[in-house]
Amino acid sequence: MSLSLVLRGAARCNAANLVKSARITPLKSYSTLVANAQRRAVVQPLALAKIAAPVVREISVSAPRMASAGGSHTLLWTVERVVSAGLLAVIPAAFIAPSQVLDALLAVSVVIHAHWGVEAMVVDYMRPSVVGNILPKVAHIALIIISVATLGGLFYFIQNDVGLANGIKRFWAIKGKDAEKKQA
Amino acid sequence: MYALSSSLIRSPALRKGLQVAAANRQVSLKVVSVGSTQKDESFFEKNERLGRKLSPHLTIYQPQLTSMLSIMHRGTGLALGAGVWALGLGALISSHDINHYVTMVEGLQLSGATLTAIKFIIAYPVGYHTANGIRHLLWDTGRFLKIKEVYSTGYAMVATSFVLTAILALL
């Protein structure tokens, strides 16, 4: 053992150098062994400490935690991803085969996707420690009002005008003045 | 060899030695009520009271592909959201139908090239947000999370966004 340490040129005789000397395990996994040993050395006393002094439940006054207090966020997260993926199908479908049903589906999906996105921005940037306690709440309520109004406006548009996809297509089809000259 | 070193760590002799060392260090624990450890003011309130300035963050952190693409995703999303709000709220407020506005834009008599350029600029947020959105959904399935993969998918995504935008602008 000491010979292998000498051969390594190891200055100290400790567990680390012993393990490296033997090198029965590949060197790549050495760090994992040390990390695991170190982790086990920390976790046990921490677990004991938690039994001795149980953590008191924290009551947070920050906006996102207030919003989620008492419930899990996972269902909403999954629904958000489903809507995002759904948009990848709904947008092309609504434009390839315009109809009132697909327009309505498009309107609902886009408005709720935008609502969740802007809500994340409000939660991230309108922090109570920066802007006070009233402004985040006002912003949240304003966002809900805007989203509802937008959806209402889009539904009105689908019902009483050419429809969402057709309307956008009409704008997109505007030709330049030279193209009109060529046609004439 | 690992077995030898781990058995050394777990040996009763070592444990006894550590206990003796701990006793000699004379560490004592004081029992304290939970209420006395709770603070009256928050971290931010305390630092404001002490008149401390906030440490620089955005001004000193080097821009990287990861952060730049991420904030672009948020920016394009906000731009698209504003567009949707304009469409919806506009439809609610306006007293005219859409043909009125189409005629108004046609009346500007813009050239074909200008129109294509404008369509490219309007379509770019759509292309970028869609391409990066797909990248986000792939992350949500647990794929491409290593830093090398984040960078390679990032570059691929930027290229895709331009291709998508070109297709949309030329429709």
Side-chain angles (χ1 to χ4, degrees):
Chain A
M1 191 157 65
S2 48
L3 177 64
S4 58
L5 286 171
V6 168
L7 284 172
R8 278 196 69 245
R12 286 169 282 233
C13 174
N14 55 27
N17 283 327
L18 287 182
V19 173
K20 282 181 189 166
S21 306
R23 269 252 245 135
I24 288 175
T25 54
L27 195 61
K28 196 173 71 170
S29 63
Y30 163 74
S31 56
T32 318
L33 296 172
V34 171
N36 281 338
Q38 287 173 342
R39 186 175 47 84
R40 262 179 257 123
V42 171
V43 164
Q44 253 197 329
L46 195 62
L48 288 171
K50 278 203 173 153
I51 295 168
V55 176
V56 176
R57 192 170 79 98
E58 285 167 34
I59 298 170
S60 164
V61 292
S62 68
R65 270 193 233 137
M66 274 199 306
S68 70
S72 99
H73 177 74
T74 50
L75 181 62
L76 187 65
W77 187 92
T78 313
V79 172
E80 286 177 359
R81 314 299 128 156
V82 166
V83 169
S84 306
L87 270 170
L88 286 173
V90 168
I91 295 180
F95 279 94
I96 293 172
S99 76
Q100 280 210 327
V101 172
L102 277 174
D103 272 350
L105 194 61
L106 179 66
V108 169
S109 317
V110 164
V111 168
I112 199 163
H113 182 77
H115 177 85
W116 282 325
V118 177
E119 186 185 26
M121 290 183 70
V122 166
V123 165
D124 281 349
Y125 300 138
M126 298 236 178
R127 289 175 289 130
S129 58
V130 175
V131 298
N133 281 322
I134 322 165
L135 204 56
K137 292 201 167 83
V138 169
H140 271 105
I141 294 170
L143 179 61
I144 294 174
I145 293 174
I146 292 174
S147 293
V148 169
T150 305
L151 194 60
L154 288 175
F155 275 164
Y156 174 82
F157 189 79
I158 294 168
Q159 186 76 4
N160 300 316
D161 213 318
V162 294
L164 206 50
N166 286 327
I168 296 174
K169 278 186 179 181
R170 228 171 252 204
F171 265 107
W172 219 245
I174 293 175
K175 292 275 175 282
K177 60 176 192 290
D178 22 4
E180 284 170 19
K181 276 187 191 153
K182 276 189 202 159
Q183 280 174 4
Chain B
M1 210 58 198
Y2 172 66
L4 174 64
S5 55
S6 74
S7 66
L8 279 172
I9 291 166
R10 292 202 191 108
S11 75
L14 183 63
R15 202 178 298 151
K16 191 71 197 217
L18 285 172
Q19 280 175 340
V20 171
N24 287 339
R25 271 203 307 274
Q26 292 183 319
V27 170
S28 58
L29 301 175
K30 185 169 80 174
V31 175
V32 142
S33 72
V34 158
S36 67
T37 58
Q38 284 171 345
K39 303 183 185 79
D40 297 321
E41 51 183 357
S42 78
F43 173 86
F44 296 101
E45 288 163 346
K46 172 176 177 176
N47 284 307
E48 207 174 316
R49 174 175 61 82
L50 290 169
R52 290 175 178 165
K53 284 196 154 75
L54 191 60
S55 305
H57 42 91
L58 288 173
T59 47
I60 57 168
Y61 211 107
Q62 184 180 47
Q64 299 167 307
L65 193 74
T66 46
S67 49
M68 293 299 105
L69 294 186
S70 176
I71 193 65
M72 268 281 274
H73 189 71
R74 197 163 245 197
T76 50
L78 186 64
L80 292 171
V84 169
W85 289 350
L87 255 175
L89 296 172
L92 214 50
I93 308 172
S94 155
S95 42
H96 310 280
D97 68 338
I98 194 168
N99 284 315
H100 172 92
Y101 296 101
V102 172
T103 320
M104 209 166 70
V105 175
E106 277 173 347
L108 292 170
Q109 291 283 307
L110 300 162
S111 72
T114 315
L115 277 168
T116 308
I118 292 174
K119 287 206 272 191
F120 191 91
I121 292 170
I122 293 177
Y124 189 69
V126 180
Y128 182 96
H129 198 80
T130 306
N132 207 13
I134 296 172
R135 190 164 160 247
H136 258 94
L137 288 171
L138 287 171
W139 284 336
D140 291 335
T141 65
R143 295 175 169 79
F144 306 120
L145 289 170
K146 293 196 169 50
I147 193 65
K148 268 208 167 95
E149 295 164 331
V150 170
Y151 269 78
S152 54
T153 52
Y155 289 124
M157 181 275 295
V158 173
T160 311
S161 73
F162 279 105
V163 170
L164 212 56
T165 308
I167 295 173
L168 288 172
L170 295 169
L171 272 175

